[in-house]
Amino acid sequence: MPDINMTIGGGRVSGDGTFAVVDPAAGEVFAWAPDCSDATLERAVSAARTAFAQWRADEQGRREAMRVAAACIESHVRELSTLLTREQGKPVREATGEVLQACEWLCYYADMETPTEVLADSAHARIELSRRPLGPVAAITPWNAPVGLAFWKLAPALRAGNTVVLKPSPYTPLTTLRIGELLADVFPPGVLNVISGRDPLGAKLSAHPAIRKVSFTGSTASGRKVAMAAAEDLKRVTLELGGNDPAIVLEDADVETAAAGIFGSAMTNVGQICVAVKRTYTARRIYDDMLAALAERAKSVRLGSGLDDGVTHGPLNNQAQLDRVKGLVANAVDAGARVVAGGLPAEGRGYFHAPTILTDVTDDMPIVAEEQFGPALPVLPYDDLDDVVARSNASHFGLGSSIWTGDTERGAELAHRIEAGTTWVNCHLYLLPSLPFGGVKWSGLGVENGVWGLHEFTDMHVVHQNLLPGNAWS
Ligand code: NAD
C-alpha cells in the first residue's frame, strides 16, 4: 500500500504513530493509517478556523471548487472504489456507486440556489432572512459507508460556507484520507482537513471549543456522547444514528416483488446500513410464501471478496460485528427460532456470514428488538393491522420503514401511522440528495440532505428594516 496521509491546511501530514487497517475479506492487516495526536488535531482545527473568513465570503468560488472536486473524485473512481472495497468489504460495484455518490452530492449542492428570503415587504417594513455559515465544523463518520456519508456532510457544509475537519472511522480511514489528498489543491488550504485516529479522537474533536457544529453518523451510544460533549458550549449537532426498520407486507402485496425489494434492502452491504430492513412483518395469509421467497434469495447469493468477479455479497466489516451477528442468531435459535437459510458464519478466512432468514422469532428476541446491523433477517407473521402498527412502533428507533402492498394509496395511509423519519411504500432505502433524511426517537436529531440538510449547517439571520418614520413604537 502506498503511504496515505492526513490533509491539514492543504498539506500532507503523516501521523504521530499509526494504527492497523484490516482487510475484512482476509481478516488480516493490509495497511497502516496515520494516528492523529492532540497537537495535530489542534493544527487541523486551527487551519479550519483560519480558512473560514475567506471561504465564507466567496460563494461563487465555493460552487466552482465543489464542481472541480466532483470531477477530481470521478476521475479517480477506480482507485478509490478498489481501496474502499479493500477496507470496507463491499463488492466493488457497490463501492463504485458509493464513490460516485460523493460526486452527485457535491454537484447537487454546488448547483443549489440559496436566495435570501423576504419575509415582509410593505410600506412599513422589509424583513429579510438569510443563512450564515457556522464556522469550522466537525464531520464524523462510521465504517459502513464512509465515503457516501462523508459527502452527505461535506457537500452542504462547504456549500453553506463552513470549513471542515473530517474524521472517518478507524476501521475504514483510507479512502477518506485519500480523497483528502486528492482534494488538497482543489479547495483553499484549511477548507477541508481530514484526520484519522481511534474513537477518542472523535471525542476530542467533538469537544473542541473552536468547532461550532458536529455532524455525526454512527451508533446511538456514541451519538449520545457527542450530544453531551457539544452541550458544554452549545455547539449545533446533527446526529444520524441507529435504526431497526420494519417492513410490513400487507396481504394484497405481490410476494415476489416484495421479497425482492425487502431482501435487497436488508442484505445490501450485508445488512450494514442504518436504514436497511431489519425486521419484517408479513400478513399471515401470505407468510409461508414470503418466507420461502426470501429464503430462496438468501440461498442464491455469492459470498466472497468484494474484489472478485460475480460476488454479490462481501464480508462483514470487522470481527466485533461478525461476533455480534453470530451471537444474535445463536441467541434466537436457542430461544426457539428456526433458520430457513444461511445461519452459520461461512468457513475460512475473513468475516463472512451467510445471509440468514429466521422464522419462529418473537418480538422480544434481541434479533428483533435490537439493531443487528448484519445479514440476519427475522420474518414475523401478523394477523391484525393495528397490532402490526403497534409492534412496528414499539422500538426506541425510528429511522426508516416500509409498507408493501398492491394498493399504494392504502400503503400511504398506513404510512402516516408509523413512527419513523421515512416510510416508503413498495420500496426501501431509496435515497436522493434532494430528499431530507433523518430519524426520530433514538435514531437521531436533525436531518441531512436537501435544503434542510444545508440549513443544518447555518444559523438564521434576520435583517428587519423599519420603513416607518421614527421608531415603530412611537
Ligand atoms: P460508532 O458510533 O462506533 O462510530 C462512528 C464514528 O464515531 C467513528 O468515526 C468513531 O471513531 C467515532 N466515535 C466513537 N466514539 C466517539 C465519541 N465518543 N465521540 C465522537 N466520535 C466518536 O459507529 P459505527 O460502529 O462506526 O457505525 C455503525 C452504527 O452507525 C450503526 O448503529 C448504524 O446504524 C449507524 N449508522 C447510522 C446512519 C444514519 O444515517 N442514521 C448511517 C450509517 C450508520
Side-chain angles (χ1 to χ4, degrees):
M1 274 293 300
D3 255 9
I4 298 185
N5 292 288
M6 297 185 280
T7 299
I8 296 177
R12 289 184 168 206
V13 176
S14 59
D16 310 279
T18 54
F19 61 92
V21 184
V22 171
D23 173 349
E28 284 166 6
V29 174
F30 80 104
W32 298 85
D35 204 4
C36 182
S37 67
D38 291 359
T40 306
L41 171 63
E42 282 306 322
R43 277 177 67 189
V45 174
S46 162
R49 215 173 167 176
T50 308
F52 177 57
Q54 258 193 327
W55 181 246
R56 73 175 294 182
D58 182 8
E59 187 181 13
Q60 206 42 42
R62 296 202 297 272
R63 297 169 84 143
E64 277 160 24
M66 289 172 70
R67 289 191 192 104
V68 175
C72 173
I73 292 172
E74 194 171 359
S75 68
H76 288 82
V77 66
R78 217 185 155 93
E79 173 200 346
L80 292 168
S81 48
T82 307
L83 185 56
L84 181 56
T85 293
R86 276 309 295 281
E87 65 177 345
Q88 202 284 330
K90 64 185 64 177
V92 78
R93 185 181 41 81
E94 281 172 36
T96 304
E98 185 179 333
V99 171
L100 292 176
Q101 218 184 74
C103 311
E104 190 185 354
W105 256 249
L106 281 166
C107 291
Y108 169 77
Y109 278 105
D111 290 346
M112 182 181 273
E113 297 298 336
T114 55
T116 294
E117 286 175 62
V118 178
L119 303 182
D121 192 13
S122 69
H124 305 272
R126 181 173 169 91
I127 307 176
E128 292 179 348
L129 168 66
S130 60
R131 303 257 170 189
R132 293 173 160 180
L134 302 170
V137 302
I140 301 178
T141 52
W143 46 258
N144 62 321
V147 176
L149 294 172
F151 281 85
W152 284 26
K153 303 176 187 313
L154 296 187
L158 295 173
R159 174 67 183 85
N162 304 278
T163 55
V164 180
V165 179
L166 167 62
K167 191 207 85 68
S169 164
Y171 289 109
T172 53
L174 300 174
T175 319
T176 310
L177 287 166
R178 181 72 187 121
I179 288 175
E181 290 183 345
L182 291 171
L183 301 184
D185 298 328
V186 171
F187 294 113
V191 165
L192 173 61
N193 307 279
V194 186
I195 58 175
S196 58
R198 300 182 184 87
D199 293 353
L201 178 65
K204 286 175 190 161
L205 177 60
S206 308
H208 197 292
I211 292 292
R212 296 315 311 144
K213 182 199 168 92
V214 185
S215 180
F216 173 88
T217 302
S219 64
T220 298
S222 305
R224 254 189 216 110
K225 292 181 192 162
V226 168
M228 284 193 275
E232 185 61 35
D233 62 351
L234 295 179
K235 288 182 195 1
R236 276 69 179 129
V237 287
T238 300
L239 304 175
E240 293 290 0
L241 309 177
N244 192 6
D245 290 16
I248 302 172
V249 188
L250 305 188
E251 74 288 346
D252 64 356
D254 178 74
V255 167
E256 285 306 318
T257 309
I262 289 173
F263 187 81
S265 44
M267 297 296 175
T268 297
N269 202 13
V270 276
Q272 303 167 119
I273 298 181
C274 55
V275 73
V277 171
K278 296 194 173 119
R279 48 194 170 123
T280 72
Y281 297 98
T282 299
R284 195 173 297 274
R285 195 175 64 76
I286 56 168
Y287 179 81
D288 289 343
D289 293 345
M290 188 69 191
L291 191 65
L294 288 168
E296 195 183 316
R297 284 188 160 72
K299 287 172 189 164
S300 73
V301 305
R302 228 189 108 199
L303 213 55
S305 162
L307 294 174
D308 291 347
D309 284 346
V311 160
T312 58
H313 292 74
L316 285 131
N317 174 258
N318 56 71
Q319 183 72 56
Q321 196 56 32
L322 174 64
D323 291 345
R324 166 138 180 94
V325 175
K326 269 162 60 178
L328 286 170
V329 171
N331 167 289
V333 169
D334 285 350
R338 194 161 52 83
V339 169
V340 290
L344 290 173
E347 282 174 15
R349 299 185 321 153
Y351 308 138
F352 292 97
H353 190 293
T356 296
I357 304 294
L358 291 159
T359 184
D360 296 338
V361 275
T362 53
D363 286 336
D364 58 347
M365 289 182 187
I367 189 80
V368 180
E370 296 175 16
E371 181 186 40
Q372 67 275 47
F373 214 59
L377 183 66
V379 186
L380 302 100
Y382 76 86
D383 296 300
D384 173 78
L385 264 193
D386 289 337
D387 173 57
V388 77
V389 168
R391 289 162 72 192
S392 297
N393 291 340
S395 169
H396 284 303
F397 294 111
L399 195 56
S401 50
S402 55
I403 294 162
W404 301 79
T405 171
D407 178 348
T408 52
E409 266 182 44
R410 183 179 170 219
E413 233 167 76
L414 191 62
H416 289 292
R417 298 175 61 189
I418 305 297
E419 295 167 2
T422 304
T423 303
W424 288 279
V425 178
N426 290 340
C427 62
H428 201 112
L429 198 54
Y430 194 96
L431 304 166
L432 291 174
S434 56
L435 299 177
F437 176 78
V440 301
K441 302 194 271 186
W442 287 7
S443 289
L445 206 61
V447 291
E448 296 193 291
N449 302 336
V451 73
W452 307 271
L454 182 94
H455 288 170
E456 297 247 338
F457 285 100
T458 63
D459 277 335
M460 287 197 267
H461 184 240
V462 175
V463 175
H464 183 150
Q465 302 174 51
N466 173 29
L467 301 177
L468 292 171
N471 184 311
W473 281 276
S474 63

